[in-house]
Amino acid sequence: MIVTIIAVWLIASQDKRRRKFGFWCSLISNFLWLVWGWHAHAYALVVLQIALAFLNIRGASKNESQSNVKLEA
């Protein structure tokens, strides 16, 4: 849970490096929750973490492509 809180704190930063580090912390957090959910037979939590990881990756790729467009314009 602490990794998740740190990740969200970093993702909210205006500094690009902190946001990127927060993204990776978020993926680590998803993985840790997934492992715990699997161990506890909490399969809804496992599915949730997979979905959140997918959305994080999607959001990061969209954010990266938007920043590239701004540089070109």
Side-chain angles (χ1 to χ4, degrees):
M1 185 169 43
I2 291 173
V3 176
T4 304
I5 293 168
I6 291 169
V8 172
W9 179 267
L10 291 169
I11 289 170
S13 174
Q14 291 183 353
D15 182 56
K16 185 176 180 177
R17 286 182 3 175
R18 285 186 183 163
R19 283 194 313 269
K20 191 175 262 190
F21 185 67
F23 165 76
W24 287 107
C25 285
S26 180
L27 286 181
I28 291 167
S29 169
N30 292 136
F31 177 75
L32 292 172
W33 279 112
L34 187 141
V35 170
W36 183 84
W38 189 266
H39 174 73
H41 303 284
Y43 300 115
L45 180 63
V46 170
V47 172
L48 174 65
Q49 294 309 311
I50 292 169
L52 290 174
F54 172 76
L55 292 172
N56 280 334
I57 293 167
R58 180 178 176 264
S61 67
K62 283 187 152 214
N63 188 24
E64 190 65 33
S65 67
Q66 285 180 353
S67 66
N68 289 340
V69 170
K70 288 178 185 175
L71 291 175
E72 293 173 2

